[in-house]
Amino acid sequence: LSAHHVGKYLRKVNRSCHVTSQSLDVGVKVMTSQFVPSHREPSDDDVEKLSNFIRTHRKLFTITGAGISTESGIPDYRSEEVGLYARGGQGPMQYQEFIKSEKSRQRYWARNYVGWPRFSSFQPNRVHRLLSDWERRRKVWWLVTQNVDALHVKAGSHYLTELHGCTDRVVCLDCGDLTRRDDLQGRISALNPGWIAVAGEVAPDGDIEIDPGLTELFRTPHCEACGGGVLKPDVVFFGDNVARRKVDFLRGKLSESDAVLVLGSSLQVFSAFRFIRAAEEECKPVCIVNIGPTRGDKLASLIINTKCSSILDRVHARLYSPS
């Protein structure tokens, strides 16, 4: 898929996902703390240091992870005590499993079909909206998110790369046709009249647990454009790789920037950590705001262990609120 094709699609989704600030606030109030790990509140010193970092650097290459979407009610995999792994939840779909097994695709789409209404209803929180505001001020030079939940798009960010893709798009592996996930929902309903499953807990990628026996009766959707191609969410499954052209593009954006800001990511996945290593090679300072240690701590010039919204709200007020 060309960058122009995806960019045009994202602008269309952004317009269709427009919501009022009032509806955002209502959405944010739902389950905002259920999946946020235990943490300390930021100190005045933390706020001062982060404010100075952001004030000093004009072009921030910003990386976000699952830790910012937990504040919208979406669980992550790795957080202590509240992450899916810690609570014994199912792991994510593996790329090779999806590609090689029709049964795995049937199971995936059955669960995704049940979980989509809830997953697609999640709304941006304060962090997403602040980053969109900082983009308009050109403080955020480029935003890279590891999340596949479309919340940055819903919040109005444009200078954005979804590193691992997004669940609101579906791609045909045979012909490359790209469609909206919302449109596929109706087609799946038509293929499976009367098929009902009780949803379990939603995962960070929109997957959900249901009774395994029900998936045997589920009819898997296929591509209409080419008449039967394999449909896959436009995301990078575990075990797959981010496209080289996307990595090269982001290396260029990193070179244009003068600092790196990491928000809510443990950086355990190499696809994001590579940019921390690249920043070190280019002698660019790195600031990490996250609850708990990260893979990039040894390469960071500033580490703040706290919840992102708690400190970003105070930093924003210090930097941009009228005195």
Side-chain angles (χ1 to χ4, degrees), residues 41-250:
E41 290 300 308
S43 65
D44 291 342
D45 187 54
D46 291 332
V47 175
E48 179 66 25
K49 287 179 178 178
L50 183 56
S51 297
N52 287 338
F53 184 91
I54 293 173
R55 183 186 296 114
T56 301
H57 301 102
R58 294 175 52 249
K59 298 179 177 181
L60 294 174
F61 184 88
T62 305
I63 300 172
T64 64
I68 70 165
S69 289
T70 57
E71 296 187 48
S72 287
I74 302 175
D76 65 7
Y77 285 113
R78 295 184 175 86
S79 289
E80 292 185 7
E81 299 181 356
V82 294
L84 283 183
Y85 290 154
R87 293 181 290 111
Q90 64 185 18
M93 172 63 71
Q94 300 293 313
Y95 177 70
Q96 290 298 327
E97 180 185 2
F98 186 91
I99 293 299
K100 295 180 178 179
S101 171
E102 174 64 33
K103 286 291 185 183
S104 294
R105 292 193 292 273
Q106 180 188 43
R107 186 174 70 250
Y108 176 85
W109 281 117
R111 298 190 311 218
N112 188 271
Y113 169 66
V114 175
W116 180 248
R118 182 179 174 193
F119 188 75
S120 60
S121 72
F122 287 116
Q123 296 296 337
N125 60 55
R126 181 65 172 159
V127 178
H128 299 98
R129 298 199 298 274
L130 280 176
L131 290 176
S132 178
D133 179 81
W134 290 3
E135 177 193 282
R136 289 190 293 271
R137 299 173 187 271
R138 297 311 289 130
K139 176 61 70 173
V140 170
W141 185 248
W142 202 262
L143 178 59
V144 183
T145 185
Q146 298 170 260
N147 303 332
V148 298
D149 50 33
L151 295 188
H152 283 299
V153 173
K154 290 181 180 181
S157 290
H158 297 279
Y159 298 104
L160 164 72
T161 295
E162 294 166 320
L163 187 62
H164 299 146
C166 188
T167 56
D168 70 355
R169 301 186 298 272
V170 178
V171 63
C172 175
L173 297 181
D174 293 88
C175 72
D177 184 62
L178 190 69
T179 59
R180 292 187 60 186
R181 177 61 185 81
D182 280 339
D183 295 338
L184 184 62
Q185 191 74 358
R187 285 178 48 205
I188 296 177
S189 294
L191 281 172
N192 295 276
W195 188 88
I196 299 175
V198 178
E201 184 174 82
V202 69
D205 59 356
D207 200 1
I208 207 160
E209 292 190 24
I210 62 174
D211 182 348
L214 292 175
T215 62
E216 298 293 327
L217 305 174
F218 182 82
R219 294 184 63 191
T220 308
H222 293 88
C223 180
E224 286 188 328
C226 66
V230 172
L231 294 179
K232 173 183 170 293
D234 191 22
V235 301
V236 178
F237 281 141
F238 279 71
D240 194 7
N241 296 309
V242 176
R244 185 74 246 175
R245 64 183 180 278
K246 184 181 288 189
V247 174
D248 291 342
F249 172 82
L250 290 175

